[in-house]
Structures are given as structure tokens and as C-alpha cells.
């Protein structure tokens, strides 16, 4: 990853935190787990929308490409491979979080919170890399929220 990209992402994360999400209401462990599950479902739905927009953009660009220009087609192949790798990474990372907290009832919330945060960060990365332009052209979709640090 280039130094510029790391600096840009760090700057974006520092200045564009997610809107305040109200805490899950006090209740039973099952109530809390349900609340976090709903949040993960929302994060996954947002990710799916942004991924679909990337696929549509790449498909359109491949259709419009001049003969011999395979950059959009190559980008689509690379994007699909990266999505598979990212999904595997999220499963492994958050599965390890679950294992780390396996002795307590908090394990489900920790796992779900891990998945939510990684999904929100990934959605933002997709937006930054694939759905924005180098000039003043507006992005294809609005900037998604990113989770606050901590």
C-alpha cells in the first residue's frame, strides 16, 4: 500500500467518523446480540450496495473500452479476487476474536462488533478506491460512514 494511500485513509478516518450510533438498549445478552446482529446486517447491506456499484462501473467501463484496453476487465477480475480474500480475512480475524473471548458471554458481541467495524472500514475503502474520481466529478455513491477509533 502506498504511503499516500495510507496517509489519505488515515486522514479520512480521522475527519469522517461514523455518525453516532445509539448504544444498544440495556437488556439481556440475547437482546444485545440481536441489536449487534441488526447492525451487522445493515453494514453488510451497505457493503453489498457499494460492491454492486463497483461491478456496474467496471462492467460499463469494459463495455466502453477501446479495443486492446483490458484495464477495466482486469480491474474486475482483481476486484473479485480481493473481495474473496477480504471476506476470508474478516471471517478469520473475527473468528479469532470470538475464540479469544470464548470464556464469556461477551464473545458474540465482540465477534459481531469486529465484523461490523471491518465491514464499515472495507465499505469506505471500496468507496475511496473504486467509486470516486481523481477530478471534481462527484462520487458514484455518497461517502459511507466509518467506525470511530477505539
Amino acid at each position: 500500500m502506498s504511503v499516500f494511500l495510507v496517509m489519505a485513509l488515515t486522514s479520512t478516518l480521522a475527519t469522517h467518523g461514523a455518525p453516532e450510533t445509539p448504544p444498544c438498549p440495556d437488556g439481556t445478552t440475547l437482546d444485545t446480540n440481536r441489536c449487534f446482529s441488526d447492525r451487522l446486517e445493515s453494514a453488510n447491506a451497505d457493503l453489498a450496495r457499494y460492491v454492486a456499484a463497483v461491478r456496474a462501473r467496471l462492467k460499463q467501463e469494459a463495455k466502453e473500452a477501446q479495443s486492446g484496453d483490458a484495464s477495466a476487465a482486469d480491474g474486475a477480475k482483481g476486484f473479485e479476487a480481493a473481495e474473496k480474500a477480504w471476506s476470508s480475512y474478516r471471517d478469520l480475524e473475527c473468528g479469532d476474536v470470538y475464540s479469544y473471548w470464548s470464556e464469556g458471554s461477551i464473545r458474540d458481541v465482540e465477534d459481531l462488533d469486529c465484523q461490523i467495524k471491518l465491514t464499515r472500514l472495507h465499505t469506505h475503502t471500496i468507496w475511496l478506491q473504486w467509486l470516486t474520481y481523481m477530478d471534481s466529478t462527484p462520487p458514484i455513491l455518497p461517502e459511507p460512514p466509518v467506525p470511530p477509533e477505539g
Side-chain angles (χ1 to χ4, degrees):
M1 186 179 296
S2 74
V3 173
F4 174 74
L5 177 59
V6 172
M7 289 174 21
L9 185 56
T10 303
S11 172
T12 300
L13 292 175
T15 59
H16 293 93
E20 285 296 315
T21 302
C24 288
D26 289 335
T28 66
T29 299
L30 290 176
D31 293 335
T32 303
N33 290 349
R34 191 171 308 114
C35 179
F36 274 79
S37 291
D38 290 346
R39 288 180 181 177
L40 177 58
E41 187 177 316
S42 175
N44 282 333
D46 288 345
L47 174 61
R49 189 164 57 99
Y50 282 73
V51 165
V54 172
R55 288 177 176 144
R57 178 184 184 178
L58 292 171
K59 183 177 181 180
Q60 183 64 33
E61 288 179 2
K63 189 176 6 175
E64 295 171 356
Q66 295 182 5
S67 179
D69 180 5
S71 59
D74 291 345
K77 287 178 191 172
F79 180 77
E80 295 303 330
E83 284 306 289
K84 269 188 183 170
W86 177 82
S87 181
S88 294
Y89 164 75
R90 182 182 74 167
D91 291 348
L92 288 168
E93 177 72 17
C94 297
D96 285 343
V97 168
Y98 181 90
S99 293
Y100 179 77
W101 292 100
S102 65
E103 296 297 317
S105 61
I106 195 74
R107 67 186 175 268
D108 292 314
V109 168
E110 291 295 330
D111 171 50
L112 291 165
D113 189 49
C114 174
Q115 290 183 65
I116 292 163
K117 286 178 180 173
L118 289 179
T119 302
R120 292 281 180 213
L121 285 170
H122 185 60
T123 302
H124 193 272
T125 299
I126 286 173
W127 173 82
L128 187 66
Q129 297 298 323
W130 296 97
L131 301 175
T132 60
Y133 296 90
M134 299 300 280
D135 59 15
S136 61
T137 303
I140 294 171
L141 290 175
E143 183 175 5
V146 292
E149 291 182 25

